Amino acid sequence: MVMGRFKRFISELFGGLALILLVHAQDQSDFISIDCGLPENSSYTEWSTGVDYISDAGFIDSGINRQISTEFKVDLQRQVWSLRSFPEGIRNCYSIRITQGTKYLIRATFFYGNYDGESKLPEFDVHLGANMWNTIKITNVSNAFVKELIHVPPLNYIQLCLVNTQRGTPFISAIELRPLPNSSYVTTDGSLERFWRVDVGSESNSPYRYKYDVYDRIWWPYNYEEWTGLSTSLTIESRSSNPSRPPSVVMSTAATPINDSASLNFYWEPEDATSKYYIYMHFAEVVKLKANQSRSFNVTLNGKHWYGPYVPEYLWTFIMYSTDALISTGGKYFFSLVKTENSTLPPIINAIEVYSVKNLLQSETDQEDVGAITKIKSTYGVKRNWQGDPCAPQAYLWEGLNCSYDGYNAPRVISLNLSSSELTGAISADISTLVMLQYLDLSNNSLTGLVPEFLSQLQYLEVLNLERNQLSGSIPAELIKRSKSGSLLLSVGENSNLCASNSCERKKSKNNIVVLILASVVGLLILSLTIAAIFCGLTRRKKQDKTRVALVDTEPNVQNRPLESMQRQVTYSDLQRITNNFERILGKGGFGTVYYGCMDGIRVAVKVFSPSSVQGYQQFQAEVKLLVRVHHKNLTTLVGYCYEGTNMGLVYEYMANRDLEAQLSGHNTNILSWQARLQIAIDAAEGLEYLHHGCKPPIIHRDVKTTNILLNEKFNAKLGDFGLSKIFQTDSGTHVSTNVVGTPGYLDPEYYKSNWLNEKSDVYSFGVVLLKIITNRPVIGRSQDRTHISQWVSFMLAKGDIQNIVDPRLGGDFDVNSVWKAVEVAVVCVSPTSSRRPTMNQVLTELKESLTTELSQKMEGYGVELKDSFDMINMDLDTELNPLAR
Ligand SMILES: *[C@@H]1O[C@H](CO)[C@@H](O)[C@H](O)[C@H]1NC(C)=O
Ligand SMILES: *[C@@H]1O[C@H](CO)[C@@H](O)[C@H](O)[C@H]1NC(C)=O
Ligand SMILES: *[C@@H]1O[C@H](CO)[C@@H](O)[C@H](O)[C@H]1NC(C)=O
Ligand SMILES: *[C@@H]1O[C@H](CO)[C@@H](O)[C@H](O)[C@H]1NC(C)=O
Ligand SMILES: *[C@@H]1O[C@H](CO)[C@@H](O)[C@H](O)[C@H]1NC(C)=O
Ligand SMILES: *[C@@H]1O[C@H](CO)[C@@H](O)[C@H](O)[C@H]1NC(C)=O
Ligand SMILES: *[C@@H]1O[C@H](CO)[C@@H](O)[C@H](O)[C@H]1NC(C)=O
Ligand SMILES: *[C@@H]1O[C@H](CO)[C@@H](O)[C@H](O)[C@H]1NC(C)=O
Ligand SMILES: *[C@@H]1O[C@H](CO)[C@@H](O)[C@H](O)[C@H]1NC(C)=O
């Protein structure tokens, strides 16, 4: 839905550009042709078909490249010469990016060719994502086994997995995906697995495929002794009403019974009693009939009238099919083409397709969970065979995971056991994305840092085991509370620097931890004037029950307010000590200087406000008020504050990787990858989304920019600097009129003109941040005309120059679709009219999709061309083709 809106906006902004990008020519540009086992980066064009194949190396991390025995290579298409075999692991998966919502012909080819010299024919399973597709039983060393499925994948990638079932080593020779028109092969129940696809009356002995067939279906030749061939040398056309478009070469030959008065019969027996079938019969008259000749016939299924009378049309295709699955009562499906009374000629048929219904009902695991667990896997470099869908099929659950299953709905991760997995670094914030988690075991690793606050957001958590790590600091109060109330089994033993017990709680009265500051600040604020309660998030609400009292709006003129009466705070001399007498400057802002510090063994950043500045005071107050109430993994955490007369300071957690601006700047040699940039954008968007939609009344940041997106040692982004933020309290309207503040370039032009503020002003600024992330160009051009980054991007888009929009420092290492999606989002965010801008919810959804796109596909280049392909077609491959007639 949302995407539809974005697309429209794009067209409005840039004419037909977006549409042009989406149109594909009828060539192989949208084919995906993967030769498994081909060396990394190599590609070639198969001589006999003209299909361009690429190596599978970019789609899978496991398995080994093998070659079939040379004797079998003669006369075979090159894509079966090499293969990838999987001696290790139970389930090995290819991950292939596709276009979501498109109907695909998915073809997997298996040619054993005694590649391992053992002449042992293996049997194994093939899964498509969360569903079992087929069992591959290799019964002949020199036959290719070709499985085909017509399927609309639900996500923007497919995972094709080879599963070892203890009956030999799985392998695969080729994977091919061909988009089909939406209106072809329409069914009412499920996907279609090819059973037959035959070119009846074929005069050649070989199957036809691309380029004869625009969709690269393979048509196997079929003749039967009681039939005779008819053919024409003229072209057979398809009308646009027939999306099936069978190739002319297939349609130009047909079969008719040798006995003029006999009917034309064929049948099959179902693989099992529950199998359902669809049939597509293709007809075209190939003989120019004389005036006194006619050809007309009925079609019956199991003796019952099915279609007709039908008269084939000269040189035009006709497709005969039903939109529901066939119904057979007697087991067999017996088709008979019977000539009608006044027909002078017997029936004909040119091509037949039969498909069995394949129900791929099991959903893939919830995509948020998949994203989180995939990131956890990469963050910690988890050394387990974590491939394919994490939860499904259930029998192939990832080791260390457990999931909840609810019919065919998307499974959710409910348990994560990474005990004894050599994890290092901090506890990953991605864990908090696994919102259904009940059991979390991170024990016996080398995890460092604090026990993060976000763990207490996991509201279903019942068991949390952090034993035997090197965690430090104190345990979030909420976790302790839940542990005491018995709803959480918390184990934190053998962490040398962690204060978990009562001793720690006693110490709390001395140390500055947020919970206590909170209480004291509230004490102050109850006294204060304007009252506006803020509630943020659901899981937070419980925790803040006792403090959910009142907060002041940030309006000025509060100099006389008794801030001094706050009981809990850091003294100025504490600040001096923490910062080692303001030794190391981290940065300077308009209202003060930020210093490095160390407080209770934790690295901190201390912002000291310029003395006796009214604005400094307001900024200070705004931040304190906001940060004591608003907690989110993507917002900076306040660990203390100081207010002594004109000495005002705030103590934050330390952000080791400074801010996004610093990371993007030319001086930085460590170039942020596209994936990292997207993740930072998503983190920042989550913080902003929380302010806008998780808090009541909403909070507008008013100064979203790259320098305010702070990065910790793991490059998790947090939104900082709430000095300008505004609690957005209105009675009925949607705007607040205020004095314009913000940073040039990031400032919403509508707000600038009208002084009317709403959340969309932040969305604008966020759009500018996104454009900066994508292009890494100055927000305001350095040349004379001072072009704004959004104007520059519009200009490049209008020229159709998408590639050159992207930061050249990425060296082209990104998925174009992923970047394109981000560009689309950014462009609508910076729309001059605020009503056209999306909400942060929508932005977040789009960015996550963009990340999924980037993660799910690492399409390898089309590097080396290997030239020595001289082979003949011998794809007479399918041993499963039953006799058609009797
Ligand atoms: C394949 O290409 C990539 C990018 O061009 C390169 O980094 C990699 O080393 C290449 N691999 C091989 C085996 O040539
Ligand atoms: C294997 O298939 C080939 C044709 O491709 C055939 O000639 C041969 O007899 C088959 N072998 C077996 C054991 O069925
Ligand atoms: C394809 O057709 C289905 C209905 O048959 C429709 O719901 C869907 O939107 C169509 N998709 C596209 C991309 O046209
Ligand atoms: C031709 O078919 C008709 C009807 O099925 C049958 O009666 C006749 O015997 C057949 N002729 C020959 C030569 O098989
Ligand atoms: C049909 O017409 C042709 C001449 O055009 C003639 O030779 C043939 O015998 C006719 N056949 C019948 C069944 O009338
Ligand atoms: C006889 O055949 C013609 C086509 O050649 C068809 O249009 C007509 O309906 C048929 N008549 C009967 C009675 O089947
Ligand atoms: C063909 O079908 C029509 C319509 O159902 C029927 O009237 C006719 O008798 C059938 N002809 C034969 C030979 O079965
Ligand atoms: C997963 O959870 C279910 C239900 O709680 C339990 O029966 C099963 O043993 C668990 N599986 C694993 C691998 O832990
Ligand atoms: C978690 O994993 C560890 C090590 O693999 C294992 O010893 C422990 O039994 C697991 N816990 C559960 C509940 O499965």
Side-chain angles (χ1 to χ4, degrees), residues 214-240:
V214 289
Y215 306 134
D216 194 20
R217 289 161 295 193
I218 301 174
W219 300 84
W220 281 268
Y222 187 79
N223 286 293
Y224 176 55
E225 56 193 20
E226 291 179 20
W227 298 350
T228 182
L230 296 173
S231 66
T232 177
S233 56
L234 300 173
T235 305
I236 312 268
E237 307 275 0
S238 290
R239 294 198 170 81
S240 58

Side-chain angles (χ1 to χ4, degrees), residues 296-300 305-310 338-342:
S296 153
F297 52 89
N298 286 342
V299 178
T300 65
H305 183 81
W306 195 69
Y307 191 88
Y310 165 67
V338 188
K339 94 176 178 181
T340 54
E341 295 80 354
N342 70 355

Side-chain angles (χ1 to χ4, degrees), residues 200-217:
V200 180
S202 172
E203 291 177 353
S204 96
N205 215 4
S206 40
Y208 289 108
R209 55 181 291 186
Y210 190 76
K211 299 175 175 164
Y212 297 102
D213 188 323
V214 289
Y215 306 134
D216 194 20
R217 289 161 295 193

Side-chain angles (χ1 to χ4, degrees), residues 443-444 465-469 490-496 498 500:
S443 63
N444 205 15
N465 189 346
L466 303 174
E467 280 173 357
R468 293 188 297 287
N469 279 292
L490 178 66
S491 319
V492 292
E494 298 178 59
N495 278 286
S496 45
L498 196 63

Side-chain angles (χ1 to χ4, degrees), residues 52 136 156 285 318 531 647 732 801:
D52 302 325
I136 308 299
N156 65 351
E285 182 59 83
F318 178 80
I531 291 192
N647 289 328
S732 54
D801 197 350

Side-chain angles (χ1 to χ4, degrees), residues 39-42 860-861 863-864:
E40 188 177 354
N41 294 347
S42 36
E860 287 298 333
V864 201

Side-chain angles (χ1 to χ4, degrees), residues 168-428:
T169 304
F171 72 89
I172 187 162
S173 308
I175 303 169
E176 297 163 314
L177 285 105
R178 311 294 185 233
L180 296 172
N182 202 10
S183 53
S184 64
Y185 304 102
V186 173
T187 74
T188 49
D189 42 6
S191 307
L192 297 178
E193 166 132 55
R194 178 189 43 75
F195 186 62
W196 287 346
R197 189 183 303 109
V198 291
D199 171 9
V200 180
S202 172
E203 291 177 353
S204 96
N205 215 4
S206 40
Y208 289 108
R209 55 181 291 186
Y210 190 76
K211 299 175 175 164
Y212 297 102
D213 188 323
V214 289
Y215 306 134
D216 194 20
R217 289 161 295 193
I218 301 174
W219 300 84
W220 281 268
Y222 187 79
N223 286 293
Y224 176 55
E225 56 193 20
E226 291 179 20
W227 298 350
T228 182
L230 296 173
S231 66
T232 177
S233 56
L234 300 173
T235 305
I236 312 268
E237 307 275 0
S238 290
R239 294 198 170 81
S240 58
S241 57
N242 180 358
S244 170
R245 295 175 70 188
S248 174
V249 66
V250 168
M251 295 303 291
S252 64
T253 58
T256 189
I258 294 172
N259 178 347
D260 259 10
S261 46
S263 54
L264 193 156
N265 305 325
F266 58 88
Y267 78 96
W268 70 90
E269 289 181 27
E271 294 148 308
D272 66 67
T274 59
S275 302
K276 291 197 213 168
Y277 294 89
Y278 281 82
I279 189 167
Y280 301 86
M281 288 184 249
H282 302 275
F283 299 99
E285 182 59 83
V286 292
V287 180
K288 180 87 187 143
L289 302 187
K290 303 211 169 56
N292 61 359
Q293 286 181 316
S294 68
R295 190 191 312 275
S296 153
F297 52 89
N298 286 342
V299 178
T300 65
L301 167 57
N302 294 340
K304 292 208 185 79
H305 183 81
W306 195 69
Y307 191 88
Y310 165 67
V311 178
E313 189 179 356
Y314 185 52
L315 303 184
W316 286 96
T317 64
F318 178 80
I319 181 167
M320 200 183 282
Y321 65 101
S322 71
T323 50
D324 294 310
L326 299 176
I327 296 166
S328 159
T329 43
K332 273 184 196 169
Y333 292 81
F334 191 102
F335 276 90
S336 208
L337 280 56
V338 188
K339 94 176 178 181
T340 54
E341 295 80 354
N342 70 355
S343 175
T344 65
L345 298 171
I348 60 167
I349 192 160
N350 308 58
I352 308 170
E353 292 174 88
V354 177
Y355 294 86
S356 62
V357 173
K358 196 98 209 167
N359 279 313
L360 305 176
L361 296 175
Q362 175 60 59
S363 298
E364 271 77 9
T365 301
D366 178 82
Q367 288 301 292
E368 297 248 334
D369 285 2
V370 172
I373 200 81
T374 308
K375 276 171 62 192
I376 291 166
K377 177 183 167 186
S378 78
T379 304
Y380 292 124
V382 173
K383 293 180 205 69
R384 294 186 188 179
N385 191 17
W386 277 11
Q387 288 203 36
D389 191 276
C391 302
Q394 196 169 355
Y396 297 95
L397 191 61
W398 284 4
E399 185 194 339
L401 246 56
N402 205 346
C403 304
S404 63
Y405 300 90
D406 170 19
Y408 294 122
N409 293 334
R412 301 298 304 255
V413 176
I414 56 167
S415 158
L416 176 61
N417 182 358
L418 283 172
S419 174
S420 313
S421 302
E422 298 168 28
L423 310 186
T424 56
I427 295 178
S428 165

